[in-house]
Amino acid sequence: MTDMSLGLAALRKAYAAGQDPVAVIDEVYARIAAAEDPGIFITLVPKEQARAAASALGAFDASKPLWGVPFAVKDNIDVAGLPTTAACPAFSYQPAQSAFAVQALLEAGAICVGKTNLDQFATGLVGLRTPYPVPRNSFDAKIPPGGSSSGSGVAVARELVSFALGTDTAGSGRVPAALNNIVGLKPSVGAVSISGLVPACKTIDCISVFAQSVDDAWTAYRIMAAKDASDAFQRFLPLDEAPGEAAPKLRVGVPRREDLVFFDDRAAESAWGRQCELLKAQGAVLSEVDMRPFLAAAQLLYEGPWVAERHAAMRAFMATNLADVLPVTRGIVEGALKFSATDAFDARYRMTALAHETAPVWGRIDMLALPTIPCTPTVSDLQADPITPNSRLGRWTNFVNLLDLCALAVPGPFR
């Protein structure tokens, strides 16, 4: 292996200078082998097939922003020629075409090297709810990789690919980023087509991006955010070429002290304090935000009838393959059966009221800064109790899609 950078700017510079993309693919597969982690990928594109895709690119084409860039795709998003399993072998099918977002990346010159592991049917924030080997956290195997986009987060953190696609309904595009010290970009709901995505909660599902830098994540996102006329759930949102400059006195909202709960994780609490000091040192003006209505919205995701969307997505499969669904996944999804259609409308009204209550906040702040995760449970914690530590990880992520917000997880001070 070499110390070759897989960052987009470095790769583009190397390609412009004559770097062979086949050699980059060879490097990627050498790194995957050296990682010795069978849990990262569920399906790996055969090396010779990936080399052929790189060779077929021909001469460097500067008009393609992802020319020769290796990436991976969470295995609940379709890639033509590769099975989609959603981490359930009995569910596996062979898609005839790639998801719209994946196809846009391929047409921009990117090379898919494989499908990554996940919490089964994207139900979980830990990365342990899979019948396949569990991906090892990139820092410490004693802590979870984060989920549900576990393999994608670890693949980027270990620099096996330039970027990877995840999905995010409750935080799955951000929690693995936090636990592996990388960037996780969760677009606005509907900004990226979900055609070719195995649904979890179809009205709030998002395809997300993991990368080493915000610029790299933004580049992939811009390409994926093309208009898909076939997707009834997409809202086409025009984008600038690059994010704009931050205001010189950025107004940053932070949770009130009484809303900050770290579940006795003093290292996480200390890291958050240092992050706030860094924001102030960079000129940001911090003001406290009452997070109670945001947290009330978060409770509706799993404790309210929104879980019925997961049941709607899975009921046909579960009717004939119940034994193939992991017990923890089944328990969560079947929790939908206790809710009625009336409950669903009541929750919808409650969510509308909470959105109305939180809306004025955005008139006095430019952004809301939160700990992506409030604590770091161990694998042992989750083996003893698979539910409570998982729920804690979603404290600051579960409300985002329900309130129609976008989010960006970025590395902060180490614990």
Side-chain angles (χ1 to χ4, degrees):
M1 292 195 302
T2 70
D3 59 357
M4 175 191 296
S5 171
L6 296 182
L8 299 193
L11 271 183
R12 194 166 183 80
K13 182 178 180 180
Y15 285 143
Q19 172 70 58
D20 183 357
V22 175
V24 173
I25 292 299
D26 287 341
E27 173 69 16
V28 165
Y29 279 77
R31 292 184 184 187
I32 292 171
E36 296 184 333
D37 186 345
I40 298 174
F41 289 93
I42 290 178
T43 302
L44 196 62
V45 173
K47 181 179 176 181
E48 289 307 312
Q49 184 177 324
R51 294 179 94 247
S55 181
L57 291 171
F60 176 58
D61 184 351
S63 70
K64 293 187 174 183
L66 295 178
W67 193 93
V69 173
F71 76 110
V73 177
K74 184 176 179 179
D75 198 18
N76 61 341
I77 305 171
D78 288 347
V79 177
L82 300 177
T84 300
T85 73
C88 181
F91 178 78
S92 180
Y93 64 89
Q94 197 82 14
Q97 61 186 30
S98 295
F100 181 89
V102 171
Q103 188 60 37
L105 297 169
L106 295 172
E107 290 175 3
I111 301 170
C112 179
V113 300
K115 304 291 291 295
T116 55
N117 207 346
L118 65 150
D119 282 319
Q120 190 177 75
F121 292 107
T123 301
L125 291 174
V126 291
L128 308 182
R129 299 171 176 177
T130 174
Y132 301 100
V134 172
R136 294 193 299 273
N137 181 280
S138 59
F139 289 101
D140 185 351
K142 294 185 181 67
I143 65 174
S148 62
S149 311
S150 52
S152 289
V154 174
V156 171
R158 300 197 67 175
E159 298 185 70
L160 308 182
V161 289
S162 299
F163 69 91
L165 300 190
T167 62
D168 191 308
T169 304
S172 297
R174 292 162 280 160
V175 171
L179 287 166
N180 290 281
N181 198 49
I182 57 173
V183 170
L185 187 158
K186 188 216 78 71
S188 301
V189 175
V192 173
S193 169
I194 56 171
S195 296
L197 167 65
V198 177
C201 296
K202 201 165 187 177
T203 60
I204 56 173
D205 287 339
C206 296
I207 294 180
S208 64
V209 185
F210 294 102
Q212 292 285 350
S213 72
V214 174
D215 284 345
D216 286 4
W218 178 265
T219 298
Y221 163 56
R222 278 193 67 251
I223 293 163
M224 293 195 302
K227 188 171 184 178
D228 177 8
S230 71
D231 182 9
F233 290 87
Q234 189 184 31
R235 302 179 301 170
F236 184 60
L237 303 175
L239 294 172
D240 294 329
E241 284 296 314
E245 291 294 321
K249 289 288 185 182
L250 194 66
R251 302 172 302 164
V252 178
V254 295
R256 302 179 307 162
R257 186 177 299 275
E258 53 264 49
D259 296 326
L260 285 167
V261 177
F262 294 95
F263 303 102
D264 297 321
D265 190 331
R266 294 184 179 179
E269 184 174 5
S270 175
W272 170 247
R274 294 198 305 277
Q275 180 63 71
C276 290
E277 292 304 315
L278 280 173
L279 285 168
K280 288 189 282 189
Q282 293 168 350
V285 178
L286 274 55
S287 61
E288 289 192 343
V289 172
D290 182 352
M291 295 301 300
R292 286 176 296 180
F294 293 89
L295 295 171
Q299 288 184 322
L300 289 173
L301 187 60
Y302 280 109
E303 298 175 31
W306 262 271
V307 74
E309 280 207 89
R310 293 184 183 270
H311 186 262
M314 292 179 58
R315 61 182 170 179
F317 178 75
M318 290 174 64
T320 55
N321 297 82
L322 196 58
D324 297 302
V325 180
L326 295 176
V328 66
T329 308
R330 173 182 172 182
I332 291 167
V333 173
E334 289 188 332
L337 300 178
K338 65 184 178 183
F339 295 105
S340 68
T342 302
D343 294 330
F345 277 103
D346 284 342
R348 183 72 244 176
Y349 303 151
R350 174 64 173 149
M351 187 60 63
T352 300
L354 289 168
H356 180 74
E357 186 177 351
T358 59
V361 168
W362 305 105
R364 63 181 181 86
I365 63 173
D366 300 307
M367 60 174 280
L368 181 61
L370 305 165
T372 304
I373 54 174
C375 59
T376 302
T378 65
V379 171
S380 296
D381 292 336
L382 285 153
Q383 289 170 338
D385 178 0
I387 302 298
T388 304
N390 181 95
S391 298
R392 289 173 175 175
L393 286 173
R395 178 176 177 83
W396 300 116
T397 62
N398 284 353
F399 64 79
V400 174
N401 285 357
L402 286 171
L403 290 176
D404 197 15
L405 305 173
C406 59
L408 186 68
V410 295
F414 273 78
R415 296 164 48 82

